[in-house]
Amino acid sequence: MLAYTIATDVNTMITASGGLDLDGNVATDLFTLTAPTSATADAWEGAAASIVVAFDDPSLIAAGTTGSTADNSLCLDIAALRETTNINGATYTEEYARIAANAGLLVVSNEQRLTASSESMDELSTKRDSISGVSTDEEMVLLIQYQAGYEAASNYIGVVQEMLDTLLQM
């Protein structure tokens, strides 16, 4: 809405004040706006993306109302627009500040959501690992138990073998 309002206000000021270009001709609109494609859309929808300067020749710019090269009265009037109340009771400067503040709030909010999501992801990963993961301490205890069991079985087989050898020698 801000871009649309600025462009239309500048165009209106140029035509309403009788702005003249460098050659003394009646000035045309400085900006060209493309109307929204949807019939239900507001006039300002997509304006920021569609605004273009209406011409390439700088001599066609209406800087004043007399056509004199020293006349910059229209430029000064256009610059003064920034302090007029045109957008929902706010000046262009205030509206821009509101837009910038909202953008900043969105960035902060998104950063907080990202942090919260990352923390949740870390917590879920930790829980998953605790359920299905391998604990090296537990695995070492089991390995020592299996090793002791293997040694006991080996000793048992050795004793049985020795007993059989003794029986066979009798």
Side-chain angles (χ1 to χ4, degrees), residues 80-137:
L81 280 175
R82 73 176 177 257
E83 296 305 324
T84 60
T85 304
N86 286 345
I87 303 171
N88 300 326
T91 65
Y92 294 148
T93 305
E94 292 167 343
E95 182 65 9
Y96 178 76
R98 185 192 63 77
I99 291 169
N102 284 342
L105 288 174
L106 287 173
V107 167
V108 168
S109 173
N110 286 336
E111 286 174 345
Q112 289 173 345
R113 287 180 185 172
L114 177 62
T115 301
S117 295
S118 296
E119 289 172 356
S120 294
M121 184 65 165
D122 291 343
E123 184 179 337
L124 289 172
S125 293
T126 302
K127 285 182 179 181
R128 181 200 63 213
D129 290 344
S130 71
I131 293 170
S132 64
V134 176
S135 169
T136 54
D137 292 338

Side-chain angles (χ1 to χ4, degrees), residues 28-46:
T28 59
D29 287 344
L30 179 60
F31 300 110
T32 302
L33 298 163
T34 304
T37 55
S38 171
T40 60
D42 292 319
W44 57 82
E45 285 189 31

Side-chain angles (χ1 to χ4, degrees), residues 134-156:
V134 176
S135 169
T136 54
D137 292 338
E138 290 176 16
E139 292 299 317
M140 286 302 292
V141 168
L142 290 174
L143 184 60
I144 291 170
Q145 287 175 349
Y146 293 142
Q147 183 179 7
Y150 177 77
E151 287 176 11
S154 174
N155 287 341
Y156 175 74

Side-chain angles (χ1 to χ4, degrees), residues 156-169:
Y156 175 74
I157 291 174
V159 169
V160 169
Q161 179 70 34
E162 190 177 315
M163 286 175 56
L164 285 175
D165 285 343
T166 304
L167 281 174
L168 288 175
Q169 290 178 0

